Amino acid sequence: MIRRLKIKFIVISSLALLITLIIVLGVINGVSYYNSKVEIFSVISRISENHGHMPDRLEYRSIIGETILTDESRFTLRFFSAVVDDSGNVVDMDRGRVETFSESDARKYLAKAEQRLSDEGFFSEDNVTFAYQKTEAGNGGTLYVILDVTRQLRSTHMFMKFSLYVGLLSMFLLLLILSIFSKRAVAPLVKNMESQKMFITNAGHELKTPLAIISANTEVLEMTEGKNEWTESTMEQVKRMSELISHLITLSKLQEKEEIVLADVSFTEVTEKVATEFRVLAEKNGLNYETEIAEGRTVKADEAGLRELVSILVDNAVKYCTDGGTVRVVLEAKGHSTILAVSNTYPEKEDVDYSRFFDRFYREDESHNSEKKGFGIGLSMAQHFTEMFKGKIGVNYKNGMICFTVVL
């Protein structure tokens, strides 16, 4: 139990940080990339407005407003411009701001930009990244401005990588810190749970003594005065209280088990034995009792626990079946799994949350005045047994039948 709580604490805390980091780093990197893109195309737009030449005063836009590019920074811009007529011929080309590639290289990059459908965007060639923009030239042709943005985008990409490394390092450090301090973090909760289990166990044992005395005194009264409705009622309530105490202690012990050793158990034999034991009771109550049990089904479980699990479900079906209804116990194979389905006729009611049937002490009749005798603890025990066996348990209602299904 403590180990599961520590793991759950670490997983939830890690997921919370991971989601936070994804959101924060995603926003930061998204804004950084968007700002770089705005700055790049703002510079290209200013050059296009100056007919493809560097203006004397270059103001560019970013997400924080207009900024003037210094004279020294202006000389770091590497771009060329070209005017292409309607026939696709290059009418004019200005390569005054580039020195590292020839005119043939410039024409190759220009052809790349011409192939693009959008009026502006990015493309890469020869390990260099360019941004381009198409605008109408004054003479009716098309003006292309192509800017080398390798350095700007490389800085943005480096920042993205750096933030990713920082995020991964943060996750690693968090996992390390949580692993060290997780025991201390869940200690108050563990202490509270241990106190609750100790109280249930001690109270259960203490209550057995007065119940035994009440039972003995009632038996003496029956021997001396004879049986009557009052003594029978007292003995019935003593029996119910004893069952409740036993269930509480059993449930408390189930929660104490850190790990149990699962072995191969014949699900078929266990189900057949339990189904046979309850047949007499079901038929005595005037119920139609049906079984369909597959042969040779073996599962990983604890035999005593598996028997208790099946008994709880069949007992629940017999106890809450409508008068003259049907109880059905089915064990079937599905792939590598074995499915136990225990169903019974049950009156359809509105606004019933069947999933709450597994809550401890839950009673569908909230007034607790139901004639059916139960404490709302059996199905909670069944759920614990199923989880111990690494299985799944569920409930559904269809065609007047409520069905509890266990998959192991």
Side-chain angles (χ1 to χ4, degrees):
M1 178 63 72
I2 297 175
R3 183 170 175 271
R4 288 202 300 268
L5 284 174
K6 287 171 62 178
I7 293 174
K8 185 178 290 186
F9 172 75
I10 292 173
V11 169
I12 293 175
S13 300
S14 301
L15 283 176
L17 178 66
L18 179 62
I19 293 171
T20 303
L21 284 174
I22 290 174
I23 293 174
V24 172
L25 295 180
V27 170
I28 292 174
N29 284 291
V31 171
S32 175
Y33 178 77
Y34 177 73
N35 185 60
S36 297
K37 186 176 178 180
V38 169
E39 288 182 354
I40 288 170
F41 287 106
S42 177
V43 169
I44 295 178
S45 295
R46 298 295 187 269
I47 296 173
S48 297
E49 292 169 1
N50 198 46
H51 310 295
H53 306 293
M54 175 66 74
D56 295 333
R57 177 186 172 90
L58 182 58
E59 296 182 1
Y60 68 92
R61 182 167 53 86
S62 66
I63 60 175
I64 60 175
E66 297 285 341
T67 305
I68 299 175
L69 199 66
T70 63
D71 291 338
E72 288 298 326
S73 298
R74 289 169 66 243
F75 283 105
T76 63
L77 295 178
R78 300 178 64 249
F79 72 91
F80 71 94
S81 60
V83 178
V84 180
D85 61 20
D86 295 337
S87 300
N89 300 316
V90 178
V91 177
D92 182 30
M93 178 179 289
D94 180 3
R95 295 192 304 109
R97 306 291 300 192
V98 291
E99 297 178 357
T100 58
F101 50 82
S102 63
E103 182 177 349
S104 62
D105 291 328
R107 288 181 177 274
K108 179 173 66 174
Y109 303 146
L110 175 62
K112 277 278 186 179
E114 289 181 296
Q115 294 171 3
R116 302 282 168 162
L117 298 178
S118 57
D119 290 336
E120 62 180 30
F122 297 97
F123 67 89
S124 296
E125 187 72 20
D126 300 330
N127 296 321
V128 181
T129 302
F130 295 97
Y132 71 92
Q133 187 179 69
K134 304 177 185 179
T135 55
E136 291 184 4
N139 57 2
T142 302
L143 172 64
Y144 288 85
V145 176
I146 300 175
L147 175 67
D148 182 352
V149 293
T150 305
R151 182 177 57 83
Q152 293 95 317
L153 292 185
R154 182 177 295 161
S155 299
T156 303
H157 293 156
M158 285 292 294
F159 178 78
M160 290 181 178
K161 287 183 179 180
F162 178 75
S163 64
L164 176 61
Y165 295 149
V166 170
L168 292 175
L169 179 61
S170 300
M171 284 297 302
F172 173 76
L173 291 176
L174 175 73
L175 287 173
L176 183 62
I177 294 171
L178 288 176
S179 299
I180 296 173
F181 293 102
S182 59
K183 187 174 181 180
R184 184 179 299 179
V186 300
L189 180 60
V190 171
K191 184 178 180 180
N192 184 45
M193 293 177 63
E194 293 295 335
S195 299
Q196 289 182 17
K197 288 186 285 187
M198 186 177 296
F199 170 77
I200 292 174
T201 303
N202 293 339
H205 289 298
E206 290 296 327
L207 285 171
K208 285 183 177 180
T209 300
L211 285 175
I213 295 173
I214 293 172
S215 178
N217 291 343
T218 304
E219 288 177 357
V220 171
L221 283 175
E222 288 181 336
M223 292 171 58
T224 57
E225 304 293 336
K227 286 186 178 183
N228 57 56
E229 60 178 313
W230 309 113
T231 59
E232 289 181 355
S233 176
T234 300
M235 293 298 290
E236 180 66 23
Q237 295 306 315
V238 168
K239 181 180 177 182
R240 292 193 68 206
M241 285 296 295
S242 299
E243 291 177 358
L244 174 59
I245 292 169
S246 297
H247 285 158
L248 285 172
I249 293 175
T250 301
L251 187 58
S252 179
K253 289 180 178 179
L254 283 176
Q255 294 175 329
E256 289 176 2
K257 293 184 178 181
E258 290 287 340
E259 294 290 342
I260 63 169
V261 178
L262 303 181
D264 289 334
V265 179
S266 175
F267 207 169
T268 298
E269 291 181 7
V270 170
T271 305
E272 285 178 343
K273 288 179 180 178
V274 174
T276 301
E277 292 170 358
F278 279 93
R279 179 178 293 277
V280 176
L281 178 60
E283 293 176 350
K284 180 181 177 182
N285 292 341
L287 303 177
N288 181 27
Y289 194 74
E290 301 175 358
T291 61
E292 185 180 335
I293 302 172
E295 295 292 335
R297 298 308 301 174
T298 301
V299 294
K300 290 287 185 181
D302 170 72
E303 186 170 357
L306 184 61
R307 181 183 177 85
E308 184 69 18
L309 168 61
V310 179
S311 296
I312 289 171
L313 296 180
V314 179
D315 176 61
N316 183 79
V318 172
K319 185 182 297 180
Y320 291 98
C321 185
T322 54
D323 295 339
T326 300
V327 173
R328 186 176 296 120
V329 181
V330 178
L331 186 74
E332 60 182 351
K334 187 174 182 180
H336 296 290
S337 301
T338 302
I339 301 176
L340 172 67
V342 181
S343 55
N344 62 276
T345 310
Y346 193 75
E348 184 175 1
K349 299 179 181 180
E350 296 181 357
D351 303 325
V352 175
D353 185 1
Y354 293 98
S355 63
R356 289 199 61 201
F357 281 24
F358 297 107
D359 293 349
R360 196 179 306 176
F361 298 114
Y362 175 77
R363 294 286 299 278
E364 190 270 323
D365 177 14
E366 296 291 349
S367 67
H368 290 254
N369 291 326
S370 173
E371 296 179 359
K372 305 294 184 181
K373 298 176 181 178
F375 306 103
I377 196 172
L379 293 176
S380 179
M381 292 174 61
Q383 186 178 46
H384 276 284
F385 278 118
T386 306
E387 291 174 351
M388 287 168 58
F389 303 152
K390 315 298 183 185
K392 296 179 181 179
I393 187 170
V395 58
N396 64 79
Y397 185 86
K398 187 176 181 181
N399 299 327
M401 299 282 286
I402 185 171
C403 181
F404 290 88
T405 304
V406 174
V407 181
L408 297 179

